[in-house]
Amino acid sequence: MLSFIKKIADDLTDRYIKLLAVLLRIRLNKVNRHKYIEKLVKRYHPDDDGTLLEQAVKESPLSVLSEEQCRKSYRSIIVKSGWIVFFASFALTLVPDIIWVNILAAVADLAIFQSVLYVAMQKIMILYGGSEFDIHSDEKNSIQRIIAIDSSGLMMGKYPLLQKMKSVVGWVGKQIVRRIGPQLVAKVSRYAFIAIRRQTVKWLSVIVTKENLTLAFDALVPITCAIISGLVSVVILVPMCNKLRKHLLAEPQ
């Protein structure tokens, strides 16, 4: 029985890795090493005659950028990636509450998260990983290295399953909000709506009823759920990238 379960688990793992490899072969998810380094050099050395660019391409951006410039570049990667996964998860959480739509949204959410993570990983590996990493000139080995790092405990920490199933974590958070929302309205609004009504009547001459307050809270629930889902993506992405950066800095260049 155990051997059968292990066989199924290994088969699912192999299929999952193949799907990840497919994501990495999508042109949009590939980072051109030369163009990215050229962008970094131009940003910090706009007067370069090509000497620094050639050195950075041959060796590493670390050879021509200061420590502060590297930190700024890294922060730029994190900020851009963080906003993308946040808004992707945010938007996909606002889809209609239909089972098949939610399933498709969860798959899309995970695919976008992985794609953004892989782009961020490539940029970090180009920035800190020396001259050996180039997905355009050595696609097979580069993809294998990215997947090996992503699938190892290096970036995922103690709870790899939860981090891989980020859509599930976000979904659980959404269900909690949806369940406690109506109860919270029933308890809080009973005491709060009278005071709010009085102040609102004074300021806006609008009568606030318990029903109106409940409707307003109900409208906030999906927004709150979407924010939770977006934050889950960011909270998972950033530590993974930080661990990769720390690992690359610890490696001998």
Side-chain angles (χ1 to χ4, degrees), residues 69-136:
Q69 289 168 345
C70 287
R71 278 200 297 266
K72 285 182 179 179
S73 300
Y74 176 74
R75 284 197 294 268
S76 176
I77 295 169
I78 294 299
V79 170
K80 182 178 180 180
S81 302
W83 277 115
I84 293 173
V85 296
F86 176 85
F87 281 115
S89 293
F90 182 91
L92 289 168
T93 302
L94 296 175
V95 299
D97 198 10
I98 303 170
I99 293 178
W100 68 268
V101 175
N102 284 332
I103 291 173
L104 290 176
V107 172
D109 186 20
L110 183 59
I112 292 171
F113 178 86
Q114 283 295 146
S115 296
V116 174
L117 175 64
Y118 284 155
V119 170
M121 286 177 67
Q122 291 174 68
K123 290 181 178 180
I124 296 169
M125 291 166 75
I126 291 170
L127 183 60
Y128 294 106
S131 60
E132 73 279 0
F133 179 82
D134 189 347
I135 198 168
H136 282 269

Side-chain angles (χ1 to χ4, degrees), residues 63-231:
S63 64
V64 301
L65 301 182
S66 67
E67 185 177 341
E68 180 60 27
Q69 289 168 345
C70 287
R71 278 200 297 266
K72 285 182 179 179
S73 300
Y74 176 74
R75 284 197 294 268
S76 176
I77 295 169
I78 294 299
V79 170
K80 182 178 180 180
S81 302
W83 277 115
I84 293 173
V85 296
F86 176 85
F87 281 115
S89 293
F90 182 91
L92 289 168
T93 302
L94 296 175
V95 299
D97 198 10
I98 303 170
I99 293 178
W100 68 268
V101 175
N102 284 332
I103 291 173
L104 290 176
V107 172
D109 186 20
L110 183 59
I112 292 171
F113 178 86
Q114 283 295 146
S115 296
V116 174
L117 175 64
Y118 284 155
V119 170
M121 286 177 67
Q122 291 174 68
K123 290 181 178 180
I124 296 169
M125 291 166 75
I126 291 170
L127 183 60
Y128 294 106
S131 60
E132 73 279 0
F133 179 82
D134 189 347
I135 198 168
H136 282 269
S137 64
D138 191 4
E139 181 182 273
K140 183 179 179 181
N141 289 329
S142 295
I143 288 176
Q144 287 178 349
R145 185 182 178 193
I146 291 172
I147 291 177
I149 291 174
D150 183 32
S151 302
S152 69
L154 170 65
M155 295 173 63
M156 291 187 290
K158 296 179 180 179
Y159 308 104
L161 183 60
L162 286 179
Q163 291 181 339
K164 282 299 178 187
M165 299 301 291
K166 60 157 294 295
S167 297
V168 175
V169 177
W171 182 83
V172 170
K174 290 185 289 183
Q175 300 312 308
I176 292 173
V177 172
R178 283 172 179 165
R179 287 186 179 277
I180 68 173
Q183 298 174 12
L184 193 61
V185 169
K187 291 180 180 179
V188 175
S189 63
R190 185 179 302 158
Y191 304 101
F193 93 99
I194 296 176
I196 294 173
R197 181 176 63 186
R198 287 173 180 171
Q199 290 299 323
T200 306
V201 167
K202 286 181 182 179
W203 296 334
L204 303 175
S205 298
V206 176
I207 297 176
V208 177
T209 65
K210 182 178 178 180
E211 289 74 20
N212 289 339
L213 191 62
T214 303
L215 288 173
F217 196 93
D218 287 344
L220 283 175
V221 168
I223 301 297
T224 305
C225 293
I227 291 173
I228 289 173
S229 184
L231 289 176

